[in-house]
Amino acid sequence: MPHLNLEYSDNLRELNVDTLLLRLNHALVGSGQFADERDIKSRAQAFARYRVGTAPGERAFAHVRLAILDGRSPQVKAQLSASLLEVLRDAIPQHPGLDLQLCVEVLDIERVPYAKLHLPG
């Protein structure tokens, strides 16, 4: 825990996904909310087929969905969301004529039914 999913439009061609995921993970470690950096699992998926709104023109998006065990305050969730949004803003290059939307959502995972097993190598 946590699980971070990055979804983005594939017209963000200059996006270095590996570096971005590492920066997002560092932001989570820096939050002090997660005891072991090995518990942070992040992944990314680009979408070739997408639509942003209805108007013509080139548009793009990046959306982070962070799933964490329940029990954290709304303030902690807001801080996590803000720090991840700042990483997105910093890491994704803007281009003239490209309308870009960056989003972060923080979701709770119920603690009781969540199961995890770590098998060290």
Side-chain angles (χ1 to χ4, degrees):
M1 188 58 44
H3 291 275
L4 185 145
N5 292 282
L6 167 66
E7 298 176 340
Y8 63 97
S9 55
D10 74 347
N11 62 341
L12 298 174
R13 291 173 193 88
E14 295 178 28
L15 180 62
N16 184 328
V17 176
D18 291 333
T19 299
L20 177 53
L21 289 176
L22 184 59
R23 290 181 65 186
L24 291 165
N25 285 5
H26 276 290
L28 293 175
V29 169
S31 74
Q33 291 297 310
F34 309 103
D36 190 340
E37 55 82 24
R38 292 177 299 177
D39 289 337
I40 300 170
K41 289 151 299 276
S42 61
R43 73 274 290 163
Q45 183 176 12
F47 289 90
R49 300 175 62 92
Y50 62 90
R51 168 104 16 227
V52 178
T54 60
E58 190 169 15
R59 294 178 173 174
F61 72 90
H63 178 101
V64 168
R65 183 175 298 113
L66 177 67
I68 58 176
L69 289 175
D70 61 8
R72 289 180 177 86
S73 71
Q75 293 82 8
V76 167
K77 293 177 193 177
Q79 289 170 343
L80 290 168
S81 180
S83 67
L84 295 175
L85 187 61
E86 186 60 32
V87 171
L88 287 178
R89 182 179 185 192
D90 212 35
I92 299 177
Q94 291 182 282
H95 296 284
L98 178 65
D99 184 60
L100 174 62
Q101 292 188 40
L102 306 175
C103 310
V104 176
E105 68 177 313
V106 178
L107 307 170
D108 284 331
I109 295 176
E110 289 184 54
R111 223 171 256 278
V112 174
Y114 183 75
K116 174 181 160 181
L117 179 62
H118 179 212
L119 303 171

